[in-house]
Amino acid sequence: MSTTFYSNGKLFIAGEYLVLDGADAFALPTKFGQDLVIEDSEDKQIDWNSYDHDNHLWFKEIITFEEVIKGSDPAIDTVKSTLVNILHEAYVLNPKFIDTAKGYKVSTHLSFPKNWGLGTSSTLINNIAQWTEINAFTLLKNSFGGSGYDIACAQNNTPVLYRIKDNFVEQVEFNPDFKDQLYFVYLNKKQNSKSAIYSYNNHKSSHLAASVAENNKITDAILHAKTLKEFASAIQKHEIHLSKVLEMQTIKEAIFPDFNGVIKSLGAWGGDFILVVSKENPKEYFFNKGYETILTYDEMIL
């Protein structure tokens, strides 16, 4: 007999980086996600198998219960050590899933390519938290770090407004008439969120409170835009504002200056997906520049 857990992927629409300092974050859960299938086994070990969206086995490992109890060496940075660390932190929060078990066979299955950056880690952490009956936000904080907005998306089937203080999550309404003119384009490289956060911490200015307040005002405008023009204007303001905070060019300035429309980075700047606001279908423009993964709003968002 097996038990299956599932978590949604995520896209960070507004509030990236500044969410770490208390700003409002607006995020959307995706139709793509990851499951975790648990079966009982023997030998006081976990036979772990992870599959990509095309059913390709990309990670296989035997993890002993002893390794979970002890934890991994912080100096070692491998897929296995990261997984052992997450399981160890889950064990610290609730030892029962190891102490009362004989063994497990575990498999995970992504419904998106893992280099897309839609939450390979956050969906895993939320699934492990469900399995081990612990708080997913605490597990994230103790293992991987980050703001927690991705856990909010993993757990909710609606758009969310999230604040890091007390892991506040509010389900919000976002179903604009102009969603047919919103597209998501993959930039052909996965961005490392840990290094992006490190860079942000080195760049954030002494005017942080004002930056957070400005972010919240723009995020509210994005969320409540009634027309495509209002939405595009708010998206553009967000990019310009964060460009000043990060001391970085916007993605449009850097790569797509000739594009007739508005473009916004989603999450860590410089990789993963961008949001494209365009009256015309922009597929030909991005195809010609070598970006072939383009999804409509309905294809991507739950």
Side-chain angles (χ1 to χ4, degrees):
M1 201 175 101
S2 65
T3 307
T4 301
F5 303 94
Y6 180 81
S7 293
N8 303 319
K10 46 69 182 178
L11 277 175
F12 208 149
I13 305 301
E16 66 272 24
Y17 295 104
L18 288 163
V19 65
L20 295 162
D21 290 296
D24 291 347
F26 170 40
L28 299 171
T30 66
K31 286 180 175 173
F32 303 96
Q34 181 170 212
D35 72 13
L36 176 79
V37 182
I38 309 292
E39 297 174 68
D40 289 333
S41 187
E42 303 287 337
D43 301 328
K44 298 287 182 184
Q45 64 184 26
I46 304 173
D47 178 6
W48 193 285
N49 297 271
S50 291
Y51 296 88
D52 208 337
H53 71 293
D54 56 4
N55 217 29
H56 167 72
L57 180 67
W58 69 270
F59 174 74
K60 180 178 179 62
E61 195 65 68
I62 299 292
I63 299 167
T64 66
F65 280 11
E66 189 180 344
E67 286 176 294
V68 174
I69 294 165
K70 280 172 58 181
S72 60
D73 182 346
I76 301 171
D77 185 16
T78 62
V79 175
K80 180 181 178 179
S81 67
T82 301
L83 176 57
V84 169
N85 180 43
I86 296 168
L87 292 170
H88 171 70
E89 294 299 341
Y91 176 79
V92 171
L93 292 166
N94 182 12
K96 192 173 70 173
F97 85 100
I98 291 293
D99 291 350
T100 62
K102 291 179 180 176
Y104 295 107
K105 184 171 182 186
V106 176
S107 60
T108 69
H109 308 83
L110 285 164
S111 62
F112 60 91
K114 61 187 174 70
N115 59 342
W116 275 12
L118 294 182
T120 309
S121 302
S122 56
T123 52
L124 174 66
I125 286 169
N126 192 61
N127 283 337
I128 289 175
Q130 290 181 80
W131 167 35
T132 58
E133 299 178 340
I134 58 175
N135 185 298
F137 291 104
T138 307
L139 180 59
L140 177 77
K141 182 182 175 185
N142 294 355
S143 61
F144 220 75
S147 70
Y149 86 92
D150 43 8
I151 298 296
C153 286
Q155 296 178 350
N156 288 276
N157 296 331
T158 66
V160 295
L161 198 65
Y162 174 80
R163 281 182 218 111
I164 198 168
K165 184 171 169 37
D166 301 322
N167 303 122
F168 170 84
V169 182
E170 179 188 353
Q171 293 187 342
V172 292
E173 192 76 32
F174 186 75
N175 188 28
D177 296 338
F178 49 81
K179 67 184 181 185
D180 288 351
Q181 290 161 306
L182 306 182
Y183 302 84
F184 300 98
V185 179
Y186 180 58
L187 293 181
N188 299 337
K189 68 172 184 176
K190 190 175 187 327
Q191 197 67 341
N192 186 318
S193 53
K194 282 186 178 177
S195 59
I197 289 167
Y198 178 80
S199 175
Y200 161 72
N201 285 328
N202 284 341
H203 281 90
K204 62 185 179 185
S205 69
S206 55
H207 307 296
L208 197 55
S211 293
V212 168
E214 178 68 8
N215 170 87
N216 293 354
K217 185 177 160 190
I218 299 170
T219 298
D220 187 68
I222 291 169
L223 186 53
H224 295 103
K226 295 283 185 264
T227 65
L228 184 68
K229 187 177 179 182
E230 284 178 18
F231 183 80
S233 172
I235 287 290
Q236 201 157 21
K237 277 182 187 168
H238 194 292
E239 282 286 272
I240 292 165
H241 174 239
L242 206 54
S243 171
K244 290 173 183 170
V245 173
L246 297 174
E247 298 176 12
M248 281 175 70
Q249 274 189 312
T250 66
I251 197 75
K252 184 172 181 181
E253 288 171 330
I255 309 180
F256 310 111
D258 60 337
F259 179 69
N260 183 24
V262 175
I263 296 174
K264 185 186 181 304
S265 292
L266 302 178
W269 279 33
D272 298 336
F273 278 88
I274 52 173
L275 169 64
V276 175
V277 184
S278 177
K279 288 182 179 177
E280 310 295 327
N281 189 322
K283 285 191 175 183
E284 188 179 346
Y285 172 88
F286 288 102
F287 261 61
N288 290 338
K289 288 194 176 282
Y291 301 96
E292 297 182 0
T293 302
I294 303 161
L295 285 81
T296 65
Y297 188 95
D298 279 341
E299 286 170 333
M300 176 68 89
I301 303 303
L302 200 57

